[in-house]
């Protein structure tokens, strides 16, 4: 995906969570954001499970530092941060599983496929409205 940088957007809830980051979590997120703008899905971690069919959703998860996670989706040339939070309990994934219609927290799986598809392009879809 060489060429132009990705535009970065964040949902209101994600933007508020980003503003509250401090210390190592803030530094880790800033580094991730810079790489996300340049490389898109190549740095966006792994794809999350879908809620209904057992397949994968259009959302990706990236581990930041310690137990911090960021959830991302994509539109053409746009990376959308939809959630940022601590994976210190099931609460983070339980909440986003409802909001984003992704698989429930704690589902065991052997694979965590990369966010980028075989052709090096991210999943494309509109991020649902997240308050």
């Amino acid at each position: 995906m060489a060429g132009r940088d990705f535009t970065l957007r964040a949902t209101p809830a994600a933007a508020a969570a980003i503003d509250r980051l401090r210390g190592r979590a803030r530094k880790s997120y800033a580094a991730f954001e810079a790489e996300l703008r340049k490389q898109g899905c190549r740095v966006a971690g792994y794809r999350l499970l879908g809620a209904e069919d057992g397949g994968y959703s259009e959302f990706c998860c990236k581990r930041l530092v310690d137990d911090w996670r960021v959830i991302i989706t994509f539109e053409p040339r746009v990376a959308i941060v939809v959630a940022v939070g601590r994976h210190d309990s099931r609460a983070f994934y339980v909440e986003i599983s409802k909001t984003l219609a992704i698989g429930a927290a704690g589902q065991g799986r052997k694979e965590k496929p990369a966010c980028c598809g075989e052709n090096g392009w991210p999943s494309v879809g509109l991020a649902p409205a997240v308050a």
Side-chain angles (χ1 to χ4, degrees), residues 1 6 8 29 31-48 57-64 68-75 78-83 93 109 112-117 120-123:
M1 307 233 38
F6 278 73
L8 185 65
Y29 179 81
F32 167 71
E33 186 176 283
E35 289 299 308
L36 186 62
R37 287 180 188 278
K38 294 282 184 201
Q39 298 184 45
C41 65
R42 285 188 231 163
V43 298
Y46 57 91
R47 193 171 307 280
L48 294 173
S57 76
E58 66 190 53
F59 297 97
C60 300
C61 180
K62 174 70 174 178
R63 179 183 181 271
L64 295 177
W68 288 94
R69 303 293 188 270
V70 60
I71 308 299
I72 316 102
T73 193
F74 294 88
E75 293 177 356
V78 177
I80 304 164
V81 177
V82 295
Y93 284 111
R109 58 184 173 150
K112 289 187 177 181
C115 188
C116 279
W121 189 252
S123 59

Side-chain angles (χ1 to χ4, degrees), residues 12-22 26 29 84:
I18 293 163
D19 285 344
R20 290 189 302 268
L21 293 174
R22 300 289 180 263
R26 171 59 107 184
Y29 179 81
V84 177

Side-chain angles (χ1 to χ4, degrees), residues 74-121:
F74 294 88
E75 293 177 356
R77 305 299 316 164
V78 177
I80 304 164
V81 177
V82 295
V84 177
R86 296 185 85 163
H87 182 355
D88 56 353
S89 69
R90 291 181 183 246
F92 177 66
Y93 284 111
V94 167
E95 183 59 34
I96 64 172
S97 70
K98 294 176 196 171
T99 306
L100 304 177
I102 61 173
Q107 287 183 300
R109 58 184 173 150
K110 293 180 182 180
E111 296 180 1
K112 289 187 177 181
C115 188
C116 279
E118 290 181 16
N119 63 358
W121 189 252

